[in-house]
Amino acid sequence: MSVTYLGMPAFPEAAAASTRDPRLRANLTHATHTIRDKRAKAVTELADWGRLRAAGAAVKDRTLRHLDHYLEQLEAAVTDAGGQVHWAADAVEANRIVTRLVRATGETEVVKVKSMATQEIGLNEALAEAGIHAYETDLAELIVQLGDDLPSHILVPAIHRDRAEIRDIFRREMGHWGRPAPEGLSDSPAELAEAARLHLREKFLSAKVGISGANFMVAESGTLVVVESEGNGRMCLTLPETLISVVGIEKVVPTWRDLEVFLQLLPRSSTAERMNPYTSTWTGTTDGDGPRTFHLVLLDNGRTDTLADTVGRQALRCIRCSACLNVCPVYERAGGHAYGSPYPGPIGAILTPQLRGVEGSLEASLPYASSLCGACYEVCPVAIDIPEVLVHLRERVVEGGPVTRGGVRTVLKSAKGHAAERAAMRAAGWVFGHPRALRAGMRLTSRTRRLHPRRLPGPGRAWSDTRDLPAVPAESFRDWWRRTRGTSSGSKQRGDGE
Amino acid sequence: MSGRDVVLARVRRALQDVPRGEGPKDPPVPRDYLRVHGSRTPAESVNLLAENLVDYRAIVHRSEPGELDMLIMRLLAERGAETVLVPPGLPPSWMAAADPVRIHDRAASTPRELDAVDSVVTGCALAIAETGTLVLDGGHAQGRRRITLVPDHHICVVRVPEQVVDSVPQALERLAPARPLTWISGPSATSDIELGRVEGVHGPRRLEVILLAG
Ligand code: SF4
């Protein structure tokens, strides 16, 4: 596996390439619209959705504001339950810890549950360098891995592949990794799923080490939770002797009871189901049931830098449901790969520049990869005000200002005339150069945005600090618009960042 | 400095805006969301459970105690099951009529051995009506996690109405976090190929639920 996100071109170049791929566009449009409509129905089934959403946001805010307390509580509870906790400040450290843990088992193959944290740190590549093969076991991840490709959606990573492509990849590649595809494999989804079942079962039944992420970690009990549909998660969490879970520090929630909020919000927001087919919880190790050894690797890798930004901090509430992707007109046109990280779409546009800093040209361009229509905020089950953070980050890109990098406070210089700013402006240009994407966004804006409170009430949120529209980025938009269109439609753009 | 010290120090530095007096239980979480969606009699809750299970493509049967063994026998026969896993604590009367060879899950059995078994019969800890979910916690009549995972056919018996709760909040307050929990809503499924739903990739492809009255 040679694929990583490093050296990705800035958003406008990558988006331009994907926009030219009609098959990709058709697959994406179909997929996002299908999920979007189903989700809306699943949500209306619950009369208290707005209240669940407010509770979800509040639980996450509380946790983030006292993250040190909850992490220490979690560590103590996991240790008491027979697990071992490791802390990794960055990707290199996390990869080193996991590699060491796998080596200690003497194994050279591991099975993996789909996990964005491990994609973020490039774990598979790091393990490969150490001579360890990591097998992705989620069907979509398998398609991506066999295709030597990158995931393009949080929930359906192979959304950019159609069934004929999947059949070709299976026929061509399965044999190199293990059990080959059955003779005469057709492109019917049932046959493809069966081929994956047979191929992966070989791995599951002999695997000694499993690697997972987690959707939630409960501080008071030390419980980890994985939510999935296929059963590959259950396989990886149950059959191996050793389980290693790599989890971002923001995934902690204080109490067992808090799961009642998230286990209602997550399935309906992501797959539009009342409940996903499987949810597994584990608390350390259990005698005679499941792995005998359990390691939890707590991952920072830019999360504490994000935490230090009082406007951007809310991005750490994200429960990775992918609802914001499916309503985003820019994501729909550009595809997931253009965002250059495991986190695509609106959440990627605010998370990636915060985790990595806005100094690179891709990172600088991402806050501009949006029409600021607000649809992402409307659907977000934990009420992350993505447009607010986008505008805040645009200001950072253009004007500079205080940031925290690698735990150190520093002041970013203004990027005027720099490559970063040029990349950013080109991204804005790309968005505005696709009037259909923009129109779709504006329609949503006018229809629904004003009906919802823009922000949740709650102590500690200094609204006055963030309410004023940073003038510079908005000006840049209008300047750009006038320059390239020769008309003054700047007034329409007030939605930008108020 | 250890990784732990580095990360915790960074967290603390990042949170300097949080007032010193603010405790970990602040700010308050509004819990005004509903404990239950709607009000139902116990029988209505059971009906809703059945409806939601069917909606997620589980196959639902109803049974009285006296006929349970015959029903289980029939379901196993329909699948052509020759071997069936039974967890410790499964009431022997449930299997009184079944023909297949009973396999007991032993610690020494390998996953590959379990893979050769056709079906598994278990009870559950509880079931959630609003979401159509069965929850197993490794307790009485459920066995280890792996036995309901590896075989392709799972028959799960729910005692109604006492094992049925209405909602997710009600379920969590009855469950113990220290136990390994498996929540099951319908059979294994994927939507990864052009978003069409396909049953069964890794978990059991056929889930049959018996609602046992009395
Ligand atoms: S930002 Fe909100 S909507 Fe988007 S993936 Fe995260 S939780 Fe879901």
Side-chain angles (χ1 to χ4, degrees), chain A residues 277-289:
Chain A
Y278 297 130
T279 298
S280 307
T281 75
W282 69 105
T283 306
T285 54
T286 303
D287 278 343
D289 196 353

Side-chain angles (χ1 to χ4, degrees), chain A residues 5-6 8-9 14 336-343 352 356 362-363 366:
Chain A
Y5 292 95
L6 294 177
M8 276 289 291
H337 291 152
Y339 295 82
S341 100
Y343 309 103
T352 305
R356 299 192 200 148
L362 169 75
E363 291 76 10
L366 287 176

Side-chain angles (χ1 to χ4, degrees), chain A residues 154 269 317-325 347 376 379-384 386:
Chain A
I154 292 180
S269 296
R317 289 188 207 143
C318 176
I319 57 172
R320 315 276 189 258
C321 71
S322 75
C324 58
L325 278 60
I347 182 61
C376 50
V379 297
C380 178
V382 285
I384 301 172
I386 295 175

Side-chain angles (χ1 to χ4, degrees), chain B residues 82-158:
Chain B
E82 288 174 3
T83 49
V84 57
L85 265 163
V86 287
L90 196 82
S93 63
W94 292 8
M95 301 297 290
D99 301 323
V101 178
R102 267 156 252 183
I103 312 277
H104 296 273
D105 176 34
R106 291 173 221 289
S109 339
T110 64
R112 218 170 270 284
E113 282 161 5
L114 299 182
D115 189 35
V117 182
D118 298 314
S119 300
V120 57
V121 178
T122 71
C124 67
L126 55 82
I128 309 170
E130 286 181 6
T131 58
T133 304
L134 311 170
V135 183
L136 277 65
D137 69 355
H140 190 68
Q142 297 160 63
R144 271 179 259 259
R145 250 179 188 182
R146 60 185 195 174
I147 66 168
T148 56
L149 171 62
V150 180
D152 203 16
H153 178 215
H154 180 194
I155 299 173
C156 184
V157 179
V158 184

Side-chain angles (χ1 to χ4, degrees), chain A residues 47-375:
Chain A
D48 58 340
W49 185 256
R51 281 173 274 169
L52 280 168
R53 184 182 187 233
V59 169
K60 283 284 186 172
D61 275 353
R62 169 190 286 184
T63 321
L64 292 170
R65 290 171 73 83
H66 305 282
L67 193 56
D68 49 339
H69 169 85
Y70 288 115
L71 288 172
E72 286 185 312
Q73 193 187 9
L74 173 76
E75 179 188 45
V78 169
T79 310
D80 279 351
Q84 294 167 53
V85 179
H86 313 261
W87 301 68
D90 57 27
V92 174
E93 201 170 334
N95 288 332
R96 201 186 300 135
I97 293 168
V98 178
T99 305
R100 177 169 54 76
L101 293 173
V102 177
R103 280 214 169 117
T105 66
E107 294 296 314
T108 55
E109 293 192 352
V110 302
V111 288
K112 272 191 71 200
V113 194
K114 172 183 172 222
S115 138
M116 272 177 287
T118 59
Q119 274 166 33
E120 176 191 319
I121 60 175
L123 178 65
N124 290 5
E125 292 78 10
L127 289 174
E129 260 173 50
I132 298 161
H133 291 279
Y135 294 106
E136 293 293 348
T137 62
D138 172 80
L139 175 54
E141 288 292 339
L142 174 74
I143 295 166
V144 167
Q145 188 178 45
L146 291 176
D148 200 18
D149 195 357
L150 289 167
S152 63
H153 189 283
I154 292 180
L155 186 73
V156 256
I159 203 168
H160 57 291
R161 296 288 198 184
D162 65 26
R163 62 174 85 182
E165 291 178 282
I166 296 169
R167 180 207 47 212
D168 294 345
I169 292 169
F170 279 11
R171 278 188 180 162
R172 197 174 62 233
E173 299 295 334
M174 272 184 171
H176 303 306
W177 289 75
R179 183 177 177 140
E183 287 286 319
L185 177 66
S186 83
D187 66 0
S188 92
E191 271 192 44
L192 294 172
E194 175 71 11
R197 179 183 177 97
L198 294 170
H199 178 81
L200 284 173
R201 202 151 264 246
E202 291 287 298
K203 306 287 178 213
F204 286 131
L205 297 179
S206 55
K208 297 278 186 286
V209 182
I211 297 183
S212 82
N215 294 87
F216 306 102
M217 306 187 282
V218 180
E220 70 173 356
S221 59
T223 307
L224 273 76
V225 183
V226 160
V227 167
E228 48 128 9
S229 316
E230 295 175 6
N232 63 304
R234 293 179 64 191
M235 289 275 181
C236 293
L237 305 171
T238 305
L239 299 183
E241 287 164 11
T242 301
L243 172 63
I244 304 168
S245 302
V246 182
V247 189
I249 52 174
E250 81 284 14
K251 293 284 182 84
V252 65
V253 298
T255 66
W256 178 248
R257 184 183 175 192
D258 292 326
L259 292 177
E260 73 189 17
V261 176
F262 297 105
L263 290 180
Q264 295 191 75
L265 289 174
L266 180 56
R268 288 181 201 255
S269 296
S270 61
T271 46
E273 290 167 303
R274 287 181 202 108
M275 186 60 77
N276 45 286
Y278 297 130
T279 298
S280 307
T281 75
W282 69 105
T283 306
T285 54
T286 303
D287 278 343
D289 196 353
R292 282 195 295 245
T293 311
F294 168 55
H295 297 278
L296 170 61
V297 181
L298 291 172
L299 178 71
D300 177 350
N301 204 37
R303 284 160 179 76
T304 49
D305 294 342
T306 309
L307 191 68
D309 184 322
T310 51
V311 179
R313 180 180 296 165
Q314 57 185 310
L316 298 177
R317 289 188 207 143
C318 176
I319 57 172
R320 315 276 189 258
C321 71
S322 75
C324 58
L325 278 60
N326 299 324
V327 296
C328 178
V330 175
Y331 172 83
E332 187 187 315
R333 313 270 312 179
H337 291 152
Y339 295 82
S341 100
Y343 309 103
I347 182 61
I350 61 169
L351 199 54
T352 305
Q354 294 199 88
L355 293 177
R356 299 192 200 148
V358 294
E359 292 88 334
S361 68
L362 169 75
E363 291 76 10
S365 69
L366 287 176
Y368 291 85
S370 165
S371 62
L372 294 176
C373 70

Side-chain angles (χ1 to χ4, degrees), chain B residues 11-188:
Chain B
V11 170
R12 291 188 181 117
R13 233 175 306 146
L15 293 173
Q16 276 169 14
D17 63 301
V18 176
R20 278 183 169 272
E22 186 181 311
K25 295 225 176 353
D26 296 317
V29 172
R31 304 259 183 201
D32 55 352
Y33 50 84
L34 303 171
R35 303 297 298 164
V36 183
H37 297 88
S39 74
R40 287 175 286 269
T41 64
E44 285 168 343
S45 297
V46 173
N47 289 342
L48 181 63
L49 172 68
E51 206 177 286
N52 285 334
L53 281 164
V54 168
D55 197 31
Y56 282 0
R57 305 194 196 181
I59 300 158
V60 175
H61 311 272
R62 296 197 185 233
S63 176
E64 301 293 326
E67 51 195 38
L68 179 64
D69 60 335
M70 296 304 283
L71 175 59
I72 290 177
M73 180 197 76
R74 178 166 66 77
L75 298 181
L76 290 170
E78 278 170 8
R79 287 284 291 175
E82 288 174 3
T83 49
V84 57
L85 265 163
V86 287
L90 196 82
S93 63
W94 292 8
M95 301 297 290
D99 301 323
V101 178
R102 267 156 252 183
I103 312 277
H104 296 273
D105 176 34
R106 291 173 221 289
S109 339
T110 64
R112 218 170 270 284
E113 282 161 5
L114 299 182
D115 189 35
V117 182
D118 298 314
S119 300
V120 57
V121 178
T122 71
C124 67
L126 55 82
I128 309 170
E130 286 181 6
T131 58
T133 304
L134 311 170
V135 183
L136 277 65
D137 69 355
H140 190 68
Q142 297 160 63
R144 271 179 259 259
R145 250 179 188 182
R146 60 185 195 174
I147 66 168
T148 56
L149 171 62
V150 180
D152 203 16
H153 178 215
H154 180 194
I155 299 173
C156 184
V157 179
V158 184
R159 295 178 188 276
V160 300
E162 68 263 29
Q163 286 190 318
V164 180
V165 300
D166 275 296
S167 65
V168 171
Q170 288 183 346
L172 280 161
E173 69 195 9
R174 277 221 218 168
L175 294 165
R179 285 180 173 276
L181 303 182
T182 306
W183 297 40
I184 300 171
S185 310
S188 160

